[in-house]
Amino acid sequence: MRKLLRLIKNFLICLKTGSKPIQVTVSQIIYEKMFTDKNVLITGGTSGIGLETAKKFLSMGAKVTITGRNIDRLNAIKDEINHSNLTVVEWDISNTNIIEEKINDIVEKMGKIDILVNNSGIYSPNNFFNTDEKIFDEIMNINLKGLFFTSKKVSEYFIKNEIKGKIVNIGSVRSIQGGAEAYGISKWGVRGLTQGLARDLIKYGIVVNAVAPGITATGINGINIQNNAYTFSSLDKRVATPQEISEIVIFLSSNSTNHIIGQTIVCDGGETLI
């Protein structure tokens, strides 16, 4: 009886407000096969977070395409991983003129795209006073402009093909802390774009979120965690591993997080609390 009354009440509310009933289906996830039949595009996948994320997706049944600017490095990774579900594509993400061509090429090779991980990025230690226009433009073109237009093309593809896709952006704690250097500014842009895209794309069923790593043991930082993982800047006094960040990307790419929209998940060992 209570269930019937609740249904009648909800029906009357829908009539009054003009809204449509919404049904939610929650299912148990078999994690080992969570991404079977899912196709993933990871930009900047030749090292660090991108590469570890690609390996994790492959281990969970996904087809994966990684991109990079060095075809020799891409081919070496393909040979090393030796997985039939891995595709590599040479692509300079800062060249917006070829984005549509690259997306079409990747769709042709994989069959479709379900998940986009915007991982391409470069870092420069230059501060406000010693950053010239060349350095500024290079960082912005890869870290923000390339991400913007890649997301645009993939979102258009999702909408055209009625795919309820996922977009996960790799940001930085610099997007939380603020900064006057080009890298920090670019990551502020990534965080803001994540929120804006999430708001605008959810009506199409496209879910957008981001990860903000603290200092991570990647090539971009020149850190070899095998030698020393110490850092003074976090509460736990160590850097993050690429594998830790990849776990968050996997989480945000899964159906476990369909109700997490426009968020930036920070993984920094407590650095932003100091």
Side-chain angles (χ1 to χ4, degrees), residues 198-260:
R199 181 195 59 229
D200 294 346
L201 296 178
I202 191 58
K203 63 185 175 185
Y204 302 106
I206 302 169
V207 177
V208 184
N209 289 292
V211 184
I215 300 174
T216 306
T218 64
I220 199 172
N221 289 317
I223 298 172
N224 184 346
I225 201 170
Q226 302 300 323
N227 295 331
N228 189 1
Y230 173 81
T231 179
F232 68 89
S233 62
S234 64
L235 291 176
D236 60 4
K237 301 305 177 187
R238 72 168 179 86
V239 299
T241 68
Q243 292 84 354
E244 286 175 311
I245 307 305
S246 73
E247 293 290 342
I248 304 173
V249 176
I250 292 292
F251 173 64
L252 291 175
S253 301
S254 74
N255 287 331
S256 303
T257 55
N258 288 340
H259 201 54
I260 299 177

Side-chain angles (χ1 to χ4, degrees), residues 141-171:
N141 287 342
I142 294 177
N143 293 9
L144 189 54
K145 188 176 80 170
L147 184 151
F148 177 95
F149 285 102
T150 300
S151 298
K152 179 176 181 287
K153 289 298 181 184
V154 172
S155 296
E156 290 171 348
Y157 165 79
F158 284 159
I159 294 167
K160 179 181 178 180
N161 293 278
E162 298 182 343
I163 296 173
K164 294 182 178 181
K166 294 288 184 78
I167 298 176
V168 181
N169 299 323
I170 306 301

